[in-house]
Amino acid sequence: MSNHAHGNFRQVTPADCVSCPAHGRGLFAAIAPAERDKLVGAFRIATFNPRETIYHVGDPGEYVFILHFGLVKLLRYSASGAERIVGLARSGDTIGLAALSQVAYRRTAVAMSACEICRVPAALVRDYNRRHPEFMAAILERYLASSDMADTFLTELSTGSAHQRLARLLLYLTEKHDHNEAPLLTREEMGALLGITTETASRITAEFRRGGLIAVLGADRCRCNTEALERIAQGM
Amino acid sequence: MSNHAHGNFRQVTPADCVSCPAHGRGLFAAIAPAERDKLVGAFRIATFNPRETIYHVGDPGEYVFILHFGLVKLLRYSASGAERIVGLARSGDTIGLAALSQVAYRRTAVAMSACEICRVPAALVRDYNRRHPEFMAAILERYLASSDMADTFLTELSTGSAHQRLARLLLYLTEKHDHNEAPLLTREEMGALLGITTETASRITAEFRRGGLIAVLGADRCRCNTEALERIAQGM
DNA sequence: CGTCATTTTGAAGCCCGTCAATCTAGGTGG
DNA sequence: CCACCTAGATTGACGGGCTTCAAAATGACG
C-alpha cells in the first residue's frame, strides 16, 4: 500500500508530545496531557521525503495524519489523468479527515518537502470522541480550516490573470514563514495549483526573479518582496 | 440582520418531518423519530425567493440550515468586491456548518430559486451531540460532502476551456433531476461559478442552444443533451 | 563527461476578456 | 393599450494573454 511504502514509522511516547514541533497546534492540542498520554501508544511518527506518498486516493481511510513540519500537497486526478492540487497542508494541519467517516481517502497526499507526520488511528479518534463528546469541537475546527482553504483556492488561486495568481500563491506560502521566505515549488506544481500551464508558470517565475520580486535562496526556498507582490495580486 | 430580513419562519411539528421533502436525507435523517420529535420544537421552516439572502458572511453563526428544496449559492467576495460562487446547495444539503464551531459564517448564502429551508439552532445540535456522540458521524458526513464539492469545483469547474466548464456545470446541475433537466442559471451566475465573464457565459450558452445541446424550457429550466455535453466536457 | 529531468525561452495561433451596441422581455404608469 | 424604462441576454470587433509545440539551456548526479 502506498501509505506504507515510505516513511519509517516509530512508536510515540509522551515525551515526543512535549517536544512535538506541532505542540499546541495539532488536533490534540487542547486535551489534557494526562489524557493524551493514554492515547499516544497507538500513534506513530514517520518522516517522508519529497515526492513520497503519504496516502493515496482510494486507500481505506484508517488514519488521520498530523503534520509536524514540511509541506504536503493534496491531489485530485481529472478524468484525463491530469493532476490538480486541491489543497496544501503545513505544520500543525491535520489531513485525511475522511478516515473519521470510515470511507476511503478522497484525495492523494504527497510530500513536497521533507516532512514529519504523526499517524493517528481513526478508530481511536472516534472512540475517544464517544467518551469525550466535547472533542468534536477540535475535529470541526479542522474541517472548517480545510473548508476555508478550499474557498481561498477558489477565490484567490483560480481567478484573475496568471500573474495575479502566482503573486497570491507566493504570498500565501510566505504567511507561515519568517523573513518573507517561502518554499519554492516546481513549475509543474505551480501549474497544478493555479490552473495554468508549466510554461506559463516558468515564464512568470523567471519574470518575477528578473524584476527582483523574488530572490531564489536555495534549491527550494525563496525570499519574496511582499509589498510588490501584493500590488500585483490586486491587479496593479 | 440579513438572515431575518426574508423568509416567513414558522414553527415545526413532528408531522412536518414526516412529510418533509428532505425526509431521509437531511442532517437528522438517521436519528430515531422519537428522538427527533423532542428537538423539532426549536426548528423553524422558512421559504425564500430568488435573490433573497439566507445568511451573510460575518453574521454570528447561530443556526445550521437544511435545504428542503431549491438551489442555494454560497458566495465569497474577493478583495475587489467581485463575487465568486464557492459552492452550491441542493435538496437535503446542510449549510452554515461553521455555526457548529461558534464562529461567524464564512460565506454568504443566497437563494437562486424558490427555496424552503429548515433552520436548526446550532446550540441544539451541539447539545444533542454531547448526549449522543454517535451523532458526530452525521455531521462529519456533511462536512465531507462539502469538501467533496469544493474539490469538484476546483477540478471540474475551474479548469479547462470555457466550453468544457459550462458543459460540466450543466451536467453537474442535471445530476439531481429527472429527464436531463437542469435549473438554468443567469449568465452572471455562470460566470461567478466558472471564473469566466458574463459575456463568455452568454456566448457559449447561446451557442449550446443553437447547437441543440440544451433546450430552454421555462424561464429558469432547460433540458440537456447529456451525451453531447459529456463529449464537450472531456474536450472533444 | 554524459545523461536525464527540469527550466527557460521562442514563435505562432487562438481563446477569452474588454468595451460597446443591440435586442428582448417584463414591469410601470400615462 | 401602448409608450417607456430597465435589467438581462446577445452579438460584434479588437487586442492581449495564455496555450501549444518546439528547441535550447541549465543543473543534478553517476
Side-chain angles (χ1 to χ4, degrees):
Chain A
M1 303 238 283
S2 45
N3 56 334
H4 290 167
H6 304 293
N8 286 321
F9 288 89
R10 65 157 231 266
Q11 195 122 13
V12 179
T13 67
D16 284 312
C17 292
V18 175
S19 63
C20 177
H23 192 73
R25 288 178 298 124
L27 180 61
F28 293 97
I31 83 170
E35 281 290 334
R36 193 185 53 211
D37 292 352
K38 288 190 231 165
L39 304 175
V40 294
F43 293 9
R44 294 289 183 278
I45 289 176
T47 55
F48 289 86
N49 294 316
R51 295 165 169 283
E52 285 180 345
T53 299
I54 299 166
Y55 56 83
H56 196 280
V57 57
D59 284 352
E62 295 171 18
Y63 309 98
V64 297
F65 302 87
I66 301 165
L67 187 56
H68 284 175
F69 58 79
L71 189 62
V72 172
K73 59 180 171 183
L74 304 167
L75 306 174
R76 282 238 169 171
Y77 297 95
S78 72
S80 61
E83 79 177 40
R84 167 90 191 196
I85 299 178
V86 296
L88 293 174
R90 300 182 278 200
S91 313
D93 288 346
T94 304
I95 60 177
L97 287 169
L100 296 178
S101 295
Q102 297 183 268
V103 299
Y105 295 115
R106 306 293 174 100
R107 307 158 163 178
T108 295
V110 176
M112 297 174 85
S113 69
C115 291
E116 184 180 280
I117 58 114
C118 185
R119 192 186 76 178
V120 180
L124 180 137
V125 178
R126 284 195 301 273
D127 181 63
Y128 180 78
N129 181 74
R130 205 169 302 124
R131 290 179 284 112
H132 303 268
E134 71 280 3
F135 186 66
M136 184 182 70
I139 298 173
L140 292 186
E141 196 184 313
R142 308 296 147 173
Y143 253 121
L144 189 60
S146 121
S147 162
D148 254 346
M149 184 177 59
D151 289 354
T152 299
F153 271 52
L154 278 168
T155 55
E156 308 284 318
L157 304 184
S158 297
T159 56
S161 72
H163 282 84
Q164 288 177 297
R165 296 186 198 188
L166 189 54
R168 294 190 195 121
L169 173 61
L170 290 165
L171 291 169
Y172 179 79
L173 292 172
T174 304
E175 276 175 15
K176 294 284 177 77
H177 295 269
D178 300 327
H179 312 302
N180 293 332
E181 283 188 18
L184 188 56
L185 312 188
T186 69
R187 309 300 172 267
E188 198 173 5
E189 285 165 342
M190 293 177 186
L193 253 160
L194 304 176
I196 60 179
T197 59
T198 318
E199 293 92 329
T200 301
S202 172
R203 258 182 265 269
I204 298 177
T205 306
E207 195 181 314
F208 280 2
R209 194 152 36 78
R210 281 191 294 266
L213 294 169
I214 60 174
V216 177
L217 299 180
D220 55 358
R221 286 184 320 135
C222 68
R223 174 165 293 126
C224 299
N225 181 340
T226 53
E227 301 80 31
L229 288 173
E230 205 80 66
R231 279 193 294 275
I232 292 178
Q234 283 162 23
M236 316 199 227
Chain B
M1 304 238 286
S2 45
N3 55 333
H4 290 168
H6 305 291
N8 287 322
F9 289 88
R10 66 158 231 265
Q11 195 123 12
V12 178
T13 66
D16 284 312
C17 292
V18 174
S19 63
C20 176
H23 193 73
R25 288 177 298 124
L27 180 61
F28 293 97
I31 84 171
E35 282 289 334
R36 193 185 53 212
D37 292 351
K38 289 189 231 163
L39 303 176
V40 294
F43 293 9
R44 294 289 182 280
I45 289 177
T47 55
F48 289 85
N49 294 316
R51 295 166 167 281
E52 286 181 343
T53 299
I54 299 167
Y55 56 83
H56 196 280
V57 56
D59 284 352
E62 296 171 18
Y63 308 98
V64 298
F65 302 87
I66 301 165
L67 186 57
H68 285 176
F69 58 78
L71 188 63
V72 171
K73 59 180 171 184
L74 304 166
L75 306 174
R76 282 239 170 171
Y77 297 94
S78 72
S80 61
E83 79 177 40
R84 167 89 193 199
I85 298 178
V86 296
L88 293 175
R90 300 180 280 201
S91 312
D93 289 346
T94 304
I95 60 177
L97 287 170
L100 296 178
S101 294
Q102 298 183 268
V103 298
Y105 296 115
R106 306 294 175 98
R107 307 158 164 178
T108 294
V110 177
M112 297 173 82
S113 68
C115 291
E116 184 180 280
I117 58 114
C118 184
R119 192 185 77 178
V120 180
L124 180 137
V125 177
R126 284 195 302 273
D127 180 63
Y128 180 79
N129 181 74
R130 205 170 301 124
R131 290 178 286 110
H132 303 269
E134 72 279 4
F135 186 65
M136 183 181 72
I139 298 174
L140 292 186
E141 196 184 313
R142 307 296 148 173
Y143 252 121
L144 190 59
S146 122
S147 162
D148 253 346
M149 184 179 57
D151 289 354
T152 300
F153 270 52
L154 278 168
T155 55
E156 307 284 317
L157 304 184
S158 297
T159 57
S161 72
H163 282 82
Q164 287 176 298
R165 295 184 198 190
L166 189 55
R168 294 192 195 119
L169 173 61
L170 290 166
L171 291 169
Y172 179 79
L173 292 172
T174 304
E175 276 175 14
K176 294 283 176 76
H177 295 266
D178 300 328
H179 312 301
N180 293 333
E181 283 189 19
L184 188 55
L185 313 188
T186 69
R187 308 299 173 267
E188 197 173 4
E189 284 165 342
M190 294 176 184
L193 252 161
L194 303 176
I196 60 180
T197 60
T198 7
E199 293 93 330
T200 301
S202 172
R203 255 183 267 269
I204 299 176
T205 307
E207 196 182 312
F208 281 1
R209 193 154 35 80
R210 282 191 292 266
L213 294 169
I214 59 174
V216 177
L217 300 181
D220 55 358
R221 287 184 321 134
C222 69
R223 174 165 293 125
C224 299
N225 180 341
T226 53
E227 301 79 31
L229 288 173
E230 203 80 66
R231 279 193 295 276
I232 292 178
Q234 282 162 23
M236 312 198 233

PDB file of all heavy atoms in Angstrom, chain B residues 148-172:
ATOM      1  N   ASP B 148     -15.992  17.481  -0.670  1.00  0.00           N
ATOM      2  CA  ASP B 148     -16.056  16.848  -1.990  1.00  0.00           C
ATOM      3  C   ASP B 148     -16.500  17.844  -3.054  1.00  0.00           C
ATOM      4  O   ASP B 148     -15.953  17.872  -4.158  1.00  0.00           O
ATOM      5  CB  ASP B 148     -17.066  15.699  -1.948  1.00  0.00           C
ATOM      6  CG  ASP B 148     -16.374  14.359  -1.960  1.00  0.00           C
ATOM      7  OD1 ASP B 148     -15.169  14.314  -2.272  1.00  0.00           O
ATOM      8  OD2 ASP B 148     -17.037  13.355  -1.671  1.00  0.00           O
ATOM      9  N   MET B 149     -17.496  18.635  -2.699  1.00  0.00           N
ATOM     10  CA  MET B 149     -17.989  19.609  -3.665  1.00  0.00           C
ATOM     11  C   MET B 149     -16.916  20.636  -3.993  1.00  0.00           C
ATOM     12  O   MET B 149     -16.743  21.012  -5.155  1.00  0.00           O
ATOM     13  CB  MET B 149     -19.237  20.299  -3.145  1.00  0.00           C
ATOM     14  CG  MET B 149     -19.830  21.252  -4.159  1.00  0.00           C
ATOM     15  SD  MET B 149     -21.313  22.031  -3.562  1.00  0.00           S
ATOM     16  CE  MET B 149     -20.679  22.796  -2.075  1.00  0.00           C
ATOM     17  N   ALA B 150     -16.201  21.080  -2.974  1.00  0.00           N
ATOM     18  CA  ALA B 150     -15.133  22.052  -3.206  1.00  0.00           C
ATOM     19  C   ALA B 150     -14.109  21.479  -4.182  1.00  0.00           C
ATOM     20  O   ALA B 150     -13.648  22.171  -5.096  1.00  0.00           O
ATOM     21  CB  ALA B 150     -14.467  22.426  -1.885  1.00  0.00           C
ATOM     22  N   ASP B 151     -13.772  20.202  -4.014  1.00  0.00           N
ATOM     23  CA  ASP B 151     -12.819  19.567  -4.918  1.00  0.00           C
ATOM     24  C   ASP B 151     -13.364  19.523  -6.340  1.00  0.00           C
ATOM     25  O   ASP B 151     -12.636  19.761  -7.308  1.00  0.00           O
ATOM     26  CB  ASP B 151     -12.509  18.147  -4.440  1.00  0.00           C
ATOM     27  CG  ASP B 151     -11.669  18.143  -3.186  1.00  0.00           C
ATOM     28  OD1 ASP B 151     -11.235  19.224  -2.751  1.00  0.00           O
ATOM     29  OD2 ASP B 151     -11.448  17.056  -2.630  1.00  0.00           O
ATOM     30  N   THR B 152     -14.661  19.220  -6.450  1.00  0.00           N
ATOM     31  CA  THR B 152     -15.289  19.199  -7.769  1.00  0.00           C
ATOM     32  C   THR B 152     -15.224  20.576  -8.418  1.00  0.00           C
ATOM     33  O   THR B 152     -14.916  20.701  -9.605  1.00  0.00           O
ATOM     34  CB  THR B 152     -16.760  18.753  -7.651  1.00  0.00           C
ATOM     35  OG1 THR B 152     -16.796  17.445  -7.093  1.00  0.00           O
ATOM     36  CG2 THR B 152     -17.438  18.761  -9.011  1.00  0.00           C
ATOM     37  N   PHE B 153     -15.497  21.603  -7.640  1.00  0.00           N
ATOM     38  CA  PHE B 153     -15.438  22.966  -8.171  1.00  0.00           C
ATOM     39  C   PHE B 153     -14.036  23.268  -8.691  1.00  0.00           C
ATOM     40  O   PHE B 153     -13.882  23.883  -9.744  1.00  0.00           O
ATOM     41  CB  PHE B 153     -15.828  23.973  -7.085  1.00  0.00           C
ATOM     42  CG  PHE B 153     -17.293  24.262  -7.052  1.00  0.00           C
ATOM     43  CD1 PHE B 153     -18.217  23.239  -6.981  1.00  0.00           C
ATOM     44  CD2 PHE B 153     -17.757  25.561  -7.107  1.00  0.00           C
ATOM     45  CE1 PHE B 153     -19.572  23.497  -6.963  1.00  0.00           C
ATOM     46  CE2 PHE B 153     -19.108  25.837  -7.091  1.00  0.00           C
ATOM     47  CZ  PHE B 153     -20.015  24.813  -7.010  1.00  0.00           C
ATOM     48  N   LEU B 154     -13.019  22.806  -7.963  1.00  0.00           N
ATOM     49  CA  LEU B 154     -11.646  23.097  -8.379  1.00  0.00           C
ATOM     50  C   LEU B 154     -11.233  22.274  -9.584  1.00  0.00           C
ATOM     51  O   LEU B 154     -10.600  22.789 -10.502  1.00  0.00           O
ATOM     52  CB  LEU B 154     -10.683  22.828  -7.216  1.00  0.00           C
ATOM     53  CG  LEU B 154     -10.549  23.945  -6.187  1.00  0.00           C
ATOM     54  CD1 LEU B 154      -9.804  23.454  -4.956  1.00  0.00           C
ATOM     55  CD2 LEU B 154      -9.827  25.141  -6.797  1.00  0.00           C
ATOM     56  N   THR B 155     -11.601  21.006  -9.609  1.00  0.00           N
ATOM     57  CA  THR B 155     -11.109  20.142 -10.686  1.00  0.00           C
ATOM     58  C   THR B 155     -11.986  20.223 -11.937  1.00  0.00           C
ATOM     59  O   THR B 155     -11.469  20.176 -13.043  1.00  0.00           O
ATOM     60  CB  THR B 155     -11.038  18.674 -10.236  1.00  0.00           C
ATOM     61  OG1 THR B 155     -12.314  18.275  -9.745  1.00  0.00           O
ATOM     62  CG2 THR B 155     -10.003  18.484  -9.150  1.00  0.00           C
ATOM     63  N   GLU B 156     -13.296  20.364 -11.755  1.00  0.00           N
ATOM     64  CA  GLU B 156     -14.189  20.297 -12.908  1.00  0.00           C
ATOM     65  C   GLU B 156     -14.609  21.671 -13.419  1.00  0.00           C
ATOM     66  O   GLU B 156     -14.768  21.866 -14.619  1.00  0.00           O
ATOM     67  CB  GLU B 156     -15.465  19.517 -12.535  1.00  0.00           C
ATOM     68  CG  GLU B 156     -15.221  18.147 -11.932  1.00  0.00           C
ATOM     69  CD  GLU B 156     -14.835  17.138 -12.970  1.00  0.00           C
ATOM     70  OE1 GLU B 156     -15.446  17.130 -14.046  1.00  0.00           O
ATOM     71  OE2 GLU B 156     -13.887  16.360 -12.711  1.00  0.00           O
ATOM     72  N   LEU B 157     -14.829  22.602 -12.488  1.00  0.00           N
ATOM     73  CA  LEU B 157     -15.455  23.867 -12.880  1.00  0.00           C
ATOM     74  C   LEU B 157     -14.472  25.031 -12.949  1.00  0.00           C
ATOM     75  O   LEU B 157     -14.848  26.146 -13.271  1.00  0.00           O
ATOM     76  CB  LEU B 157     -16.597  24.204 -11.915  1.00  0.00           C
ATOM     77  CG  LEU B 157     -17.676  23.131 -11.760  1.00  0.00           C
ATOM     78  CD1 LEU B 157     -18.794  23.623 -10.864  1.00  0.00           C
ATOM     79  CD2 LEU B 157     -18.233  22.716 -13.112  1.00  0.00           C
ATOM     80  N   SER B 158     -13.211  24.794 -12.619  1.00  0.00           N
ATOM     81  CA  SER B 158     -12.230  25.888 -12.671  1.00  0.00           C
ATOM     82  C   SER B 158     -11.044  25.535 -13.551  1.00  0.00           C
ATOM     83  O   SER B 158     -10.026  26.221 -13.515  1.00  0.00           O
ATOM     84  CB  SER B 158     -11.742  26.233 -11.260  1.00  0.00           C
ATOM     85  OG  SER B 158     -12.802  26.697 -10.470  1.00  0.00           O
ATOM     86  N   THR B 159     -11.155  24.469 -14.318  1.00  0.00           N
ATOM     87  CA  THR B 159     -10.071  24.120 -15.233  1.00  0.00           C
ATOM     88  C   THR B 159     -10.645  23.785 -16.607  1.00  0.00           C
ATOM     89  O   THR B 159     -11.817  23.445 -16.733  1.00  0.00           O
ATOM     90  CB  THR B 159      -9.277  22.900 -14.728  1.00  0.00           C
ATOM     91  OG1 THR B 159     -10.169  21.810 -14.542  1.00  0.00           O
ATOM     92  CG2 THR B 159      -8.567  23.189 -13.430  1.00  0.00           C
ATOM     93  N   GLY B 160      -9.807  23.873 -17.614  1.00  0.00           N
ATOM     94  CA  GLY B 160     -10.240  23.588 -18.967  1.00  0.00           C
ATOM     95  C   GLY B 160     -10.822  24.824 -19.635  1.00  0.00           C
ATOM     96  O   GLY B 160     -10.911  25.893 -19.025  1.00  0.00           O
ATOM     97  N   SER B 161     -11.231  24.677 -20.882  1.00  0.00           N
ATOM     98  CA  SER B 161     -11.776  25.798 -21.638  1.00  0.00           C
ATOM     99  C   SER B 161     -13.147  26.175 -21.104  1.00  0.00           C
ATOM    100  O   SER B 161     -13.776  25.417 -20.364  1.00  0.00           O
ATOM    101  CB  SER B 161     -11.887  25.415 -23.112  1.00  0.00           C
ATOM    102  OG  SER B 161     -12.943  24.497 -23.288  1.00  0.00           O
ATOM    103  N   ALA B 162     -13.604  27.354 -21.486  1.00  0.00           N
ATOM    104  CA  ALA B 162     -14.917  27.815 -21.043  1.00  0.00           C
ATOM    105  C   ALA B 162     -16.017  26.859 -21.523  1.00  0.00           C
ATOM    106  O   ALA B 162     -16.982  26.610 -20.800  1.00  0.00           O
ATOM    107  CB  ALA B 162     -15.172  29.226 -21.560  1.00  0.00           C
ATOM    108  N   HIS B 163     -15.858  26.303 -22.732  1.00  0.00           N
ATOM    109  CA  HIS B 163     -16.826  25.329 -23.230  1.00  0.00           C
ATOM    110  C   HIS B 163     -16.899  24.117 -22.306  1.00  0.00           C
ATOM    111  O   HIS B 163     -17.972  23.657 -21.929  1.00  0.00           O
ATOM    112  CB  HIS B 163     -16.451  24.879 -24.644  1.00  0.00           C
ATOM    113  CG  HIS B 163     -16.809  25.857 -25.703  1.00  0.00           C
ATOM    114  ND1 HIS B 163     -16.019  26.953 -26.019  1.00  0.00           N
ATOM    115  CD2 HIS B 163     -17.893  25.941 -26.528  1.00  0.00           C
ATOM    116  CE1 HIS B 163     -16.592  27.647 -26.986  1.00  0.00           C
ATOM    117  NE2 HIS B 163     -17.729  27.062 -27.310  1.00  0.00           N
ATOM    118  N   GLN B 164     -15.733  23.603 -21.953  1.00  0.00           N
ATOM    119  CA  GLN B 164     -15.693  22.442 -21.076  1.00  0.00           C
ATOM    120  C   GLN B 164     -16.333  22.739 -19.725  1.00  0.00           C
ATOM    121  O   GLN B 164     -17.122  21.952 -19.203  1.00  0.00           O
ATOM    122  CB  GLN B 164     -14.243  22.002 -20.860  1.00  0.00           C
ATOM    123  CG  GLN B 164     -13.614  21.330 -22.070  1.00  0.00           C
ATOM    124  CD  GLN B 164     -12.143  20.999 -21.817  1.00  0.00           C
ATOM    125  OE1 GLN B 164     -11.330  21.887 -21.600  1.00  0.00           O
ATOM    126  NE2 GLN B 164     -11.818  19.716 -21.835  1.00  0.00           N
ATOM    127  N   ARG B 165     -15.986  23.877 -19.160  1.00  0.00           N
ATOM    128  CA  ARG B 165     -16.513  24.217 -17.841  1.00  0.00           C
ATOM    129  C   ARG B 165     -18.025  24.320 -17.848  1.00  0.00           C
ATOM    130  O   ARG B 165     -18.708  23.791 -16.967  1.00  0.00           O
ATOM    131  CB  ARG B 165     -15.928  25.550 -17.363  1.00  0.00           C
ATOM    132  CG  ARG B 165     -14.452  25.509 -17.133  1.00  0.00           C
ATOM    133  CD  ARG B 165     -13.969  26.833 -16.557  1.00  0.00           C
ATOM    134  NE  ARG B 165     -12.528  26.983 -16.729  1.00  0.00           N
ATOM    135  CZ  ARG B 165     -11.803  27.945 -16.168  1.00  0.00           C
ATOM    136  NH1 ARG B 165     -12.385  28.845 -15.416  1.00  0.00           N
ATOM    137  NH2 ARG B 165     -10.513  28.008 -16.358  1.00  0.00           N
ATOM    138  N   LEU B 166     -18.557  25.004 -18.865  1.00  0.00           N
ATOM    139  CA  LEU B 166     -20.007  25.175 -18.898  1.00  0.00           C
ATOM    140  C   LEU B 166     -20.698  23.828 -19.109  1.00  0.00           C
ATOM    141  O   LEU B 166     -21.727  23.548 -18.487  1.00  0.00           O
ATOM    142  CB  LEU B 166     -20.402  26.167 -19.992  1.00  0.00           C
ATOM    143  CG  LEU B 166     -21.871  26.585 -19.980  1.00  0.00           C
ATOM    144  CD1 LEU B 166     -22.272  27.131 -18.617  1.00  0.00           C
ATOM    145  CD2 LEU B 166     -22.166  27.612 -21.053  1.00  0.00           C
ATOM    146  N   ALA B 167     -20.125  22.995 -19.965  1.00  0.00           N
ATOM    147  CA  ALA B 167     -20.703  21.664 -20.181  1.00  0.00           C
ATOM    148  C   ALA B 167     -20.705  20.881 -18.871  1.00  0.00           C
ATOM    149  O   ALA B 167     -21.698  20.241 -18.511  1.00  0.00           O
ATOM    150  CB  ALA B 167     -19.910  20.921 -21.255  1.00  0.00           C
ATOM    151  N   ARG B 168     -19.594  20.944 -18.132  1.00  0.00           N
ATOM    152  CA  ARG B 168     -19.513  20.214 -16.865  1.00  0.00           C
ATOM    153  C   ARG B 168     -20.506  20.760 -15.853  1.00  0.00           C
ATOM    154  O   ARG B 168     -21.117  20.005 -15.096  1.00  0.00           O
ATOM    155  CB  ARG B 168     -18.093  20.306 -16.295  1.00  0.00           C
ATOM    156  CG  ARG B 168     -17.048  19.601 -17.144  1.00  0.00           C
ATOM    157  CD  ARG B 168     -15.729  19.472 -16.385  1.00  0.00           C
ATOM    158  NE  ARG B 168     -14.619  19.138 -17.272  1.00  0.00           N
ATOM    159  CZ  ARG B 168     -13.544  19.906 -17.454  1.00  0.00           C
ATOM    160  NH1 ARG B 168     -13.443  21.065 -16.799  1.00  0.00           N
ATOM    161  NH2 ARG B 168     -12.578  19.525 -18.257  1.00  0.00           N
ATOM    162  N   LEU B 169     -20.690  22.084 -15.857  1.00  0.00           N
ATOM    163  CA  LEU B 169     -21.653  22.676 -14.933  1.00  0.00           C
ATOM    164  C   LEU B 169     -23.064  22.185 -15.230  1.00  0.00           C
ATOM    165  O   LEU B 169     -23.804  21.798 -14.321  1.00  0.00           O
ATOM    166  CB  LEU B 169     -21.607  24.212 -15.028  1.00  0.00           C
ATOM    167  CG  LEU B 169     -22.683  24.972 -14.228  1.00  0.00           C
ATOM    168  CD1 LEU B 169     -22.565  24.675 -12.735  1.00  0.00           C
ATOM    169  CD2 LEU B 169     -22.588  26.467 -14.484  1.00  0.00           C
ATOM    170  N   LEU B 170     -23.429  22.167 -16.496  1.00  0.00           N
ATOM    171  CA  LEU B 170     -24.772  21.716 -16.869  1.00  0.00           C
ATOM    172  C   LEU B 170     -24.961  20.258 -16.474  1.00  0.00           C
ATOM    173  O   LEU B 170     -26.017  19.873 -15.961  1.00  0.00           O
ATOM    174  CB  LEU B 170     -24.987  21.906 -18.376  1.00  0.00           C
ATOM    175  CG  LEU B 170     -25.101  23.370 -18.815  1.00  0.00           C
ATOM    176  CD1 LEU B 170     -24.961  23.512 -20.322  1.00  0.00           C
ATOM    177  CD2 LEU B 170     -26.420  23.970 -18.347  1.00  0.00           C
ATOM    178  N   LEU B 171     -23.933  19.441 -16.675  1.00  0.00           N
ATOM    179  CA  LEU B 171     -24.039  18.033 -16.278  1.00  0.00           C
ATOM    180  C   LEU B 171     -24.171  17.908 -14.759  1.00  0.00           C
ATOM    181  O   LEU B 171     -24.945  17.093 -14.257  1.00  0.00           O
ATOM    182  CB  LEU B 171     -22.807  17.267 -16.774  1.00  0.00           C
ATOM    183  CG  LEU B 171     -22.719  17.094 -18.284  1.00  0.00           C
ATOM    184  CD1 LEU B 171     -21.352  16.563 -18.689  1.00  0.00           C
ATOM    185  CD2 LEU B 171     -23.823  16.164 -18.781  1.00  0.00           C
ATOM    186  N   TYR B 172     -23.423  18.729 -14.049  1.00  0.00           N
ATOM    187  CA  TYR B 172     -23.487  18.711 -12.588  1.00  0.00           C
ATOM    188  C   TYR B 172     -24.884  19.074 -12.112  1.00  0.00           C
ATOM    189  O   TYR B 172     -25.437  18.452 -11.203  1.00  0.00           O
ATOM    190  CB  TYR B 172     -22.454  19.688 -12.027  1.00  0.00           C
ATOM    191  CG  TYR B 172     -22.414  19.805 -10.530  1.00  0.00           C
ATOM    192  CD1 TYR B 172     -21.779  18.839  -9.755  1.00  0.00           C
ATOM    193  CD2 TYR B 172     -23.010  20.877  -9.879  1.00  0.00           C
ATOM    194  CE1 TYR B 172     -21.735  18.944  -8.370  1.00  0.00           C
ATOM    195  CE2 TYR B 172     -22.964  20.990  -8.495  1.00  0.00           C
ATOM    196  CZ  TYR B 172     -22.330  20.023  -7.748  1.00  0.00           C
ATOM    197  OH  TYR B 172     -22.299  20.128  -6.384  1.00  0.00           O
TER     198      TYR B 172
END
